[in-house]
Amino acid sequence: MDTPLNIVIVGGGTAGWSAAAAIAGIVSRNVASVRLIESEEIGTVGVGEATLPHMKEFNDHIGVIEADMMQQANATFKLGIEFVDWGFKGSSYIHPFGVHGQPIGGARFHHQWVRATQSGHETNLQDYSYPIVASRAGKFDFPSKDQNQISSTYSYAYHFDAALYAGYLRRFAERRGAVRTEGKVTDVSLDGQSGDIASVTLESGEVVTADLFIDCTGFRALLIGETLGVAYQGWSKWLPCDRAVAVPCDRLPGKLLPYTRSTARAAGWQWRIPLQSRTGNGYVYASDFISDDEAASTLLSNLDGAAQSDPRFLKFRAGRRVASWQKNCVAIGLSSGFLEPLESTSIYLIQQAITTLLTLFPRKTVDPALRAEFNRRVDLEYDRVRDFLILHYYANARDDAELWRYCRSMEVPDSLLEKLEFFRSTGHIETYTAGLFTPASWLAVYVGQGVMPQRYDRQADKQPLEEMLGEIRKLRAQIAERVDRMPSHGVFVEDYCPSNDVPAAIAEAVE
Ligand SMILES: Cc1cc2nc3c(=O)[nH]c(=O)nc-3n(C[C@H](O)[C@H](O)[C@H](O)COP(=O)(O)OP(=O)(O)OC[C@H]3O[C@@H](n4cnc5c(N)ncnc54)[C@H](O)[C@@H]3O)c2cc1C
């Protein structure tokens, strides 16, 4: 039998500690040991606070207790993302973590909805999504487990303090045997024959060897990029935003909203992430279209409460490594690639890569077939997210700023163009089994950005129009009535996972 695989993770941000927690939580110690090296002096990227529903699955899988994690990470629930001013100025839609309506008369709901609008009945698609109606009302409850109920048609994610979440995972991993070393890696040595990473040397002089290295060093990509020289494929021509400025602000007493907001601005977009104790904010922008000072001043003049610190600037380039697993080094997190946080996909990509690594877990000598399959799956995930993000920029009708005119006329990947044309001409949405996003997500963004199909599924016509209209009206009323009975998100959070960091004035005024 093989001796345990000796794994060294370099980097202790969300990526490093997610990897350590998952390996320590799931893999038996006679199969692998984990050591994580991180440098407090270098620190973490310090952003990354909005997530996708897959995180609940990841946490559940490795054994994280939800209420405990939420309480300690200042977390709130998230039912989707609101996009303000994206399709055109004055527009607003929510991309929910759930479907719109339920099949009616043998056809998918949205086909009936298109049929209703084409026959002159003005209806808003958003009114048929349970999580959207709940979001707008500031309500939250767990989804019903009864699949026949409309209140089962959604899932949820979290907003949290990234540093507190990483700290939570660190304690979790250490309790399960992961060993942490404080220190800066100053040198990396390669094996002369295989080209594998043989060891990393710390500033203290300690030399650390391993069978498998996981590069979680963030944008530095110390192992995969600097040492192994794996190239970075840039996607800036489609996703021109290359900077962000971030600042937390006070949370005002009042409703705690269960969704992230993304507001389109002249040269990018601004995020707003509601936590229990504060609100996270940032402006993601394209430096070709605005200066840093202007971006910061736009951000500061569009906060809900007083800024809690000076704005912090970050630089990045959209894209991914051409291979995330090279030799005996697996890059996870920002070292493997970056896609702007418009759809909160980075932590998803991290945890998905970890899950894939656990599925394709290597022996001491890495089988090239495992590596190739890992890279294929990771690449696919990135490419799918890329297309979805580009859609938000491409399908816009804004004429007020250069960035939006550029995006509307840029050439987009064929993989996106084909999906878009298919929807436009038939009303059908391409489905795939691996990778984000589901047809429900594509539908929300297509319609939200103003892309309307010319036709709908012919099967929808089986049902008489008046009968179908009656059913969709009934569905809308049923959703409104059920949401009305839900608890407010603020009250739910205070009951389920109250953080100790919430200022007294806000805790007392919970709505
Ligand atoms: C503006 C912005 C907003 C974002 N918002 C979201 C969001 O809302 N949702 C989402 O899912 N994601 C978001 N992300 C992405 C998210 O922040 C990252 O995916 C996540 O934090 C993981 O980062 P990381 O662990 O890869 O890197 P980092 O947090 O940068 O961690 C790197 C680690 O490596 C260590 N390190 C580096 N060099 C060395 C060395 N030489 N020796 C020892 N240790 C070293 C550092 O000390 C640190 O511990 C956002 C990113 C940006 C830039």
Side-chain angles (χ1 to χ4, degrees):
M1 200 171 109
D2 282 359
T3 50
L5 190 76
N6 173 8
I7 300 178
V8 165
I9 299 170
V10 184
T14 306
W17 282 115
S18 290
I23 296 167
I26 289 177
V27 180
S28 143
R29 281 192 218 175
N30 64 1
V31 174
S33 67
V34 191
R35 178 169 175 184
L36 184 145
I37 301 166
E38 67 176 321
S39 158
E40 264 174 34
E41 188 192 319
I42 294 176
T44 65
V45 69
V47 278
E49 308 197 315
T51 65
L52 292 179
H54 308 76
M55 171 171 274
K56 175 170 166 47
E57 283 166 38
F58 179 86
N59 285 344
D60 287 352
H61 185 51
I62 68 172
V64 165
I65 312 283
E66 180 177 79
D68 190 35
M69 179 282 286
M70 290 187 71
Q71 184 161 32
Q72 293 187 45
N74 233 320
T76 62
F77 291 99
K78 173 179 173 188
L79 292 172
I81 305 175
E82 182 189 21
F83 291 90
V84 177
D85 292 343
W86 273 84
F88 59 91
K89 269 198 140 180
S91 65
S92 157
Y93 70 93
I94 289 183
H95 166 198
F97 297 146
V99 296
H100 294 81
Q102 286 171 316
I104 290 181
R108 283 175 184 254
F109 178 81
H110 80 271
H111 291 288
Q112 296 291 17
W113 172 77
V114 174
R115 183 179 170 214
T117 53
Q118 288 188 355
S119 55
H121 298 271
E122 269 306 314
T123 60
N124 184 346
L125 181 65
Q126 305 250 314
D127 292 343
Y128 303 92
S129 162
Y130 194 91
I132 294 181
V133 178
S135 293
R136 298 271 188 217
K139 305 277 188 104
F140 183 82
D141 206 344
F142 291 127
S144 166
K145 290 197 167 55
D146 178 353
Q147 300 291 310
N148 296 318
Q149 298 292 325
I150 188 74
S151 49
S152 72
T153 56
Y154 65 98
S155 48
Y156 63 87
Y158 315 106
H159 303 115
F160 55 48
D161 181 314
L164 295 179
Y165 179 63
Y168 182 88
L169 290 180
R170 172 182 163 184
R171 291 189 292 282
F172 178 94
E174 285 182 322
R175 277 199 302 273
R176 283 157 184 79
V179 174
R180 173 187 183 272
T181 302
E182 168 62 34
K184 201 192 288 182
V185 172
T186 50
D187 194 33
V188 185
S189 302
L190 298 183
D191 179 280
Q193 274 201 322
S194 64
D196 278 358
I197 295 177
S199 63
V200 294
T201 306
L202 307 188
E203 206 168 33
S204 62
E206 187 187 356
V207 176
V208 182
T209 59
D211 302 311
L212 185 76
F213 287 88
I214 304 188
D215 184 348
C216 295
T217 58
F219 288 128
R220 286 166 202 82
L222 183 63
L223 308 184
I224 196 90
E226 272 184 39
T227 308
L228 294 176
V230 175
Y232 192 81
Q233 190 178 94
W235 291 333
S236 307
K237 64 176 171 181
W238 297 311
L239 295 168
C241 287
D242 57 354
R243 292 194 190 183
V245 50
V247 71
C249 77
D250 289 348
R251 189 192 136 198
L252 300 180
K255 266 190 188 149
L256 181 63
L257 294 175
Y259 57 89
T260 306
R261 175 178 290 162
S262 159
T263 306
R265 303 253 177 250
W269 59 277
Q270 180 173 338
W271 79 73
R272 188 190 69 178
I273 300 177
L275 307 190
Q276 289 190 48
S277 60
R278 61 168 170 83
T279 302
N281 309 277
Y283 185 1
V284 172
Y285 57 97
S287 60
D288 279 351
F289 297 92
I290 195 175
S291 69
D292 291 346
D293 285 350
E294 241 183 299
S297 111
T298 303
L299 175 66
L300 292 173
S301 52
N302 285 289
L303 300 179
D304 289 348
Q308 293 185 336
S309 65
D310 287 335
R312 211 161 59 81
F313 291 89
L314 299 112
K315 289 186 185 170
F316 49 79
R317 186 156 72 101
R320 64 160 166 78
R321 297 276 152 206
V322 295
S324 289
W325 188 344
Q326 176 87 341
K327 302 286 180 186
N328 64 338
C329 171
V330 184
I332 294 181
L334 300 173
S335 59
S336 100
F338 183 71
L339 284 162
E340 61 184 79
L342 185 57
E343 286 282 355
S344 318
T345 44
S346 275
I347 301 175
Y348 163 81
L349 290 168
I350 288 172
Q351 297 187 336
Q352 196 61 26
I354 294 167
T355 307
T356 305
L357 179 62
L358 292 175
T359 311
L360 304 173
F361 207 67
R363 291 173 187 274
K364 283 205 178 243
T365 306
V366 175
D367 185 332
L370 285 183
R371 201 163 43 205
E373 177 59 12
F374 177 89
N375 285 333
R376 191 190 67 77
R377 293 190 197 180
V378 168
D379 291 357
L380 185 73
E381 291 281 355
Y382 269 98
D383 297 358
R384 293 225 195 277
V385 173
R386 176 199 68 194
D387 283 2
F388 193 60
L389 298 191
I390 296 172
L391 171 65
H392 297 65
Y393 285 96
Y394 181 58
N396 87 80
R398 289 181 61 132
D399 207 22
D400 58 308
E402 200 49 44
L403 171 77
W404 300 102
R405 285 190 285 273
Y406 164 80
C407 291
R408 205 169 44 239
S409 58
M410 68 188 170
E411 269 187 32
V412 299
D414 287 345
S415 46
L416 170 60
L417 215 48
E418 283 157 17
K419 287 188 194 74
L420 195 55
E421 286 312 318
F422 184 51
F423 178 71
R424 263 205 190 110
S425 64
T426 69
H428 288 284
I429 300 166
E430 188 187 312
T431 48
Y432 42 78
T433 45
L436 291 171
F437 283 91
T438 64
S441 292
W442 284 91
L443 176 70
V445 178
Y446 282 142
V447 174
Q449 297 283 142
V451 180
M452 281 298 285
Q454 288 150 6
R455 296 187 189 81
Y456 54 85
D457 181 356
R458 187 73 177 85
Q459 304 284 350
D461 286 327
K462 263 196 304 200
Q463 192 180 34
L465 183 66
E466 280 312 317
E467 193 182 302
M468 179 273 285
L469 290 172
E471 281 196 46
I472 71 169
R473 272 185 219 116
K474 209 167 93 195
L475 183 64
R476 187 173 58 192
Q478 194 192 357
I479 291 173
E481 186 265 324
R482 291 296 301 266
V483 166
D484 208 40
R485 287 193 269 133
M486 286 170 91
S488 87
H489 178 224
V491 168
F492 193 96
V493 166
E494 197 178 65
D495 235 36
Y496 182 68
C497 52
S499 154
N500 294 330
D501 295 342
V502 180
I506 290 177
E508 280 156 23
V510 66
E511 272 180 34

